[in-house]
Amino acid sequence: MSTIMELLTIMITASLVNNVVLSQFLGLCPFLGVSKKTDTALGMGLAATFVITLASAVCGLIYKYILTPLDLTFLQTIVFIMVIAMLVQFVEMVLKKYVVSLYKSLGVYLPLITTNCAVLGVALLNVQDEYSILQSIINGFGTAIGFTIAIVILAGIREKICYNDIPESFKGMPIVLITAGLMAIAFTGFAGLR
């Protein structure tokens, strides 16, 4: 029972308390770039969820069963980047073949998941926090859910902002950054869940 509670705590902490975008400020490029429409933001969130969760599992396995026994842990960053790049290519091929509309709407931001520091950051934090493989997967999934929540909320707000009377100096990216800052402040309220 304590294991289930521990895993639930890891997931809630990763998704809400330590939100990868709003408290750790990782993954801001797709967060700001793909959050113009909720359907595109949700698609990016789902693609990132797949990549982050799978990368957490694969990187955890490689670290535990290959890098650590061979005393090659100094190569973890390079190895993790290669694993993430392969996973993103796989996601890109699947979307291009089966979900063409989402593939086109994500555009350049889909390959940017490869360089999304949130994906690499989660893999490195899993190693740093000495999570087991299951804990790494749960942390990766929770982080990805938090990313998806943040990007979809911002997209919903951005869709409504266009109907408001905004001063000229705040139009465009300035109001988006102010909105993201207010979201980050609001998410600090989840700190009491720990």
Side-chain angles (χ1 to χ4, degrees):
M1 189 61 159
S2 65
T3 305
I4 294 173
M5 289 305 293
E6 181 182 335
L7 295 175
L8 189 60
T9 302
I10 289 172
M11 183 183 288
I12 290 172
T13 301
S15 60
L16 298 175
V17 178
N18 293 330
N19 187 284
V20 70
V21 176
L22 300 174
S23 70
Q24 296 179 9
F25 306 110
L26 298 174
L28 290 176
C29 180
F31 176 68
L32 297 173
V34 185
S35 60
K36 293 177 184 165
K37 297 172 125 183
T38 53
D39 56 342
T40 307
L42 182 61
M44 173 56 92
L46 294 176
T49 298
F50 178 77
V51 171
I52 291 173
T53 305
L54 200 56
S56 295
V58 174
C59 290
L61 289 168
I62 289 172
Y63 184 82
K64 183 174 182 176
Y65 295 111
I66 296 174
L67 297 179
T68 301
L70 296 175
D71 199 26
L72 297 173
T73 56
F74 61 92
L75 292 175
Q76 70 185 12
T77 304
I78 295 168
V79 171
F80 291 176
I81 289 171
M82 290 189 315
V83 167
I84 292 165
M86 287 187 294
L87 291 173
V88 170
Q89 289 302 313
F90 174 71
V91 169
E92 191 172 2
M93 289 187 306
V94 168
L95 288 180
K96 189 174 185 178
K97 181 152 178 89
Y98 297 109
V99 193
V100 179
S101 61
L102 180 59
Y103 174 78
K104 288 180 180 178
S105 65
L106 290 176
V108 72
Y109 293 102
L110 183 59
L112 283 178
I113 294 177
T114 304
T115 58
N116 185 343
C117 53
V119 182
L120 179 60
V122 171
L124 292 173
L125 285 172
N126 288 338
V127 169
Q128 179 184 339
D129 293 341
E130 298 179 356
Y131 283 152
S132 68
I133 304 301
L134 180 59
Q135 289 172 326
S136 295
I137 294 169
I138 295 297
N139 186 50
F141 183 71
T143 299
I145 294 300
F147 176 82
T148 304
I149 289 169
I151 197 170
V152 169
I153 289 173
L154 183 63
I157 293 171
R158 284 181 76 172
E159 285 180 352
K160 301 296 181 194
I161 284 177
C162 66
Y163 299 113
N164 294 336
D165 186 25
I166 299 170
E168 193 63 36
S169 59
F170 287 109
K171 287 187 178 177
M173 197 50 67
I175 194 68
V176 172
L177 291 173
I178 290 170
T179 304
L182 292 172
M183 285 175 59
I185 291 170
F187 266 66
T188 60
F190 290 118
L193 292 176
R194 246 193 273 203

